[in-house]
Amino acid sequence: MAQDFPKKLTFDEYYKDYFLSQKYFFDFATRGAFIDVCELRNGSRKYCFEFKKQENLPCPCCGKIMTTRDELLSFIENVKTQKGIDLSEEISKYQSRLRGVELKIAKRLIILAPKYPEKNLKDLFILMYRNSIKQLEKSQQKVILKINKLSNGLEGQTFLAVKKDITFVSRLLRKRKNTQTFKRKTFIAGFYKLLAEEENERNKKILEIISLKAKKLPTSGNSIDAFIVKYHRRSMEEIAQRLLDSSLASTEHIMPRADGGVNDPSNYLVQCKYCNNERSSMSYRDWLKRHPEMKRNIQIYMDKVINLIVDKKIQNHDFYPLVVKSTILKESEGLLDIRICGIFNYLRLKYLAHKPT
């Protein structure tokens, strides 16, 4: 006999009766309510958040337009076959969504591509590689020289071990071969390993300073030259994906999972991958000190979300703005109070217009 499984309720079916009571309905419309909706729902399932699929949705933190998965796949397919001015125009479409090193790379490609009409994306990276490898090595050597100077204060076997690593890396950077690459993570990890085993207090203090200094070595996340050197051997698909990756729409847990936040729409915002990764599990009180612009941008995001619901481009999420308003109010300790009058008027007409008195 087939086993009967309980029917899975949609988001609206779950919250409808709860929020249509006059008390909670009007509380949300006027001043908001500190209802612990995460605890109420107690969700734990994986969920494909529909708002991530909507084009031209602004990030609630930085305000930049986010890239959907379909847009990313389309971009990858297009740049595989484009060259010259066509490639430049394709990258230009997404330029306003980028930031940091990806934005700098995009600007360089937009200028460079029309000058070499026969070269594709990978060819342009190979073309830029020769100059970038020289610039990268200069930047790396500057940091290595500072570490070498700091290491002169070390004593005993620790002094010898550090000098050995520095000598090897310096020689590697001067006589780089295709079969040998400088591994920044491995280099830094070596100092932390020595630090963990060190007993001499003087050596410990110096190793801590050296470790922090080593972290200033350029990476593909903060250096154009490191980015080009890393990706010039990669496929066009990998290069194209990395260019737009930070702008990709991702699911942000309002209450971080590390703090018990659940996998449920009541605890979700759509946020660009860059902001999502940067916040991690930081509290909103600390996050807003770093990004005060979120108070303005999250309202723009919610207005767009409400329009999607009212225009029926998103189904079964009528109560999402009310629920998320409560979660954000609670998690931000009242610092983020979103206006949701638009959805309130829509819900009142849809659910209460013919409600018997």
Side-chain angles (χ1 to χ4, degrees):
M1 183 176 178
Q3 185 177 357
D4 293 328
F5 291 98
K7 177 180 178 287
K8 288 186 178 180
L9 299 178
T10 66
F11 186 84
D12 278 354
E13 286 172 337
Y14 188 91
Y15 285 108
K16 178 180 174 182
D17 292 338
Y18 183 78
F19 283 106
L20 284 184
S21 69
Q22 292 295 302
K23 178 179 183 299
Y24 289 121
F25 202 70
F26 284 100
D27 272 352
F28 268 88
T30 55
R31 58 183 173 77
F34 284 90
I35 302 169
D36 195 344
V37 291
C38 288
E39 184 176 328
L40 170 73
R41 180 74 184 245
N42 194 25
S44 59
R45 59 190 172 83
K46 293 290 182 183
Y47 183 87
C48 182
F49 198 29
E50 290 297 317
F51 292 101
K52 284 171 59 176
K53 301 177 182 179
Q54 301 303 309
E55 295 182 2
N56 298 314
L57 191 65
C59 174
C61 178
C62 68
K64 287 181 176 288
I65 297 299
M66 295 180 282
T67 303
T68 66
R69 179 65 62 179
D70 287 343
E71 286 177 317
L72 174 62
L73 294 176
S74 175
F75 176 75
I76 292 172
E77 286 302 310
N78 288 340
V79 299
K80 282 166 62 177
T81 58
Q82 291 174 339
K83 300 176 182 180
I85 190 67
D86 292 334
L87 177 59
S88 178
E89 289 176 353
E90 181 67 24
I91 297 172
S92 296
K93 293 178 186 177
Y94 297 91
Q95 181 181 348
S96 62
R97 307 183 184 195
L98 307 179
R99 66 177 77 186
V101 68
E102 289 86 0
L103 176 58
K104 294 176 182 177
I105 290 288
K107 287 181 177 179
R108 185 177 291 187
L109 289 169
I110 289 168
I111 296 171
L112 196 62
K115 296 179 180 179
Y116 297 91
E118 298 303 317
K119 293 187 180 296
N120 59 30
L121 182 62
K122 183 174 175 63
D123 293 335
L124 292 176
F125 265 73
I126 294 172
L127 182 68
M128 295 186 289
Y129 171 77
R130 183 175 297 179
N131 181 63
S132 288
I133 188 65
K134 293 178 182 178
Q135 296 301 320
L136 178 60
E137 287 173 356
K138 286 180 181 179
S139 300
Q140 290 171 330
Q141 286 286 13
K142 285 181 181 179
V143 178
I144 298 299
L145 287 172
K146 291 178 180 179
I147 291 174
N148 188 45
K149 188 175 181 180
L150 287 168
S151 69
N152 291 331
L154 294 169
E155 301 172 349
Q157 292 299 317
T158 303
F159 171 81
L160 297 175
V162 171
K163 286 295 184 181
K164 181 180 179 181
D165 285 346
I166 292 173
T167 302
F168 173 76
V169 169
S170 296
R171 188 180 297 119
L172 179 63
L173 294 177
R174 286 196 303 270
K175 300 179 180 179
R176 189 186 294 266
K177 297 180 181 179
N178 291 333
T179 55
Q180 288 182 303
T181 55
F182 171 59
K183 299 291 186 181
R184 177 180 176 273
K185 289 183 179 179
T186 304
F187 184 60
I188 295 173
F191 295 127
Y192 278 105
K193 183 179 179 181
L194 288 172
L195 182 59
E197 299 171 351
E198 185 59 59
E199 296 180 356
N200 184 305
E201 290 300 322
R202 174 182 170 82
N203 283 353
K204 278 187 176 182
K205 291 179 180 179
I206 295 174
L207 284 171
E208 286 175 356
I209 298 172
I210 287 175
S211 299
L212 292 174
K213 184 64 68 176
K215 286 185 176 181
K216 294 187 179 295
L217 284 163
T219 71
S220 61
N222 59 30
S223 164
I224 294 179
D225 296 315
F227 189 105
I228 292 169
V229 170
K230 179 176 180 178
Y231 282 91
H232 83 283
R233 291 182 182 175
R234 305 289 180 90
S235 67
M236 278 197 287
E237 290 89 344
E238 289 178 283
I239 297 171
Q241 178 163 342
R242 173 61 194 273
L243 281 174
L244 294 192
D245 190 60
S246 63
S247 70
L248 195 63
S250 65
T251 303
E252 157 79 350
H253 287 72
I254 299 167
M255 179 188 292
R257 282 180 292 181
D259 297 333
V262 297
N263 290 320
D264 188 86
S266 62
N267 192 40
Y268 287 165
L269 286 176
V270 182
Q271 194 161 280
C272 75
K273 197 171 179 180
Y274 186 97
C275 291
N276 197 345
N277 290 340
E278 186 184 352
R279 185 200 167 202
S280 185
S281 58
M282 188 184 301
S283 72
Y284 273 116
R285 183 169 290 277
D286 292 335
W287 181 250
L288 287 170
K289 291 177 182 177
R290 184 182 297 184
H291 293 282
E293 70 276 11
M294 186 175 184
K295 289 185 177 182
R296 177 186 69 254
N297 292 332
I298 197 170
Q299 185 63 57
I300 297 172
Y301 162 86
M302 188 54 69
D303 289 343
K304 178 70 173 180
V305 164
I306 290 172
N307 287 337
L308 289 170
I309 295 170
V310 172
D311 294 341
K312 296 181 171 56
K313 293 180 179 178
I314 292 288
Q315 303 293 326
N316 298 318
H317 282 77
D318 292 349
F319 294 92
Y320 170 76
L322 282 77
V323 176
V324 168
K325 174 184 173 76
S326 182
T327 308
I328 291 172
L329 270 170
K330 182 176 185 297
E331 189 63 22
S332 70
E333 301 174 26
L335 295 174
L336 291 173
D337 190 2
I338 310 168
R339 298 184 305 276
I340 57 169
C341 298
I343 197 66
F344 174 69
N345 293 332
Y346 168 76
L347 293 174
R348 183 171 58 183
L349 289 171
K350 183 174 180 179
Y351 293 99
L352 296 181
H354 307 291
K355 185 176 179 180
T357 57

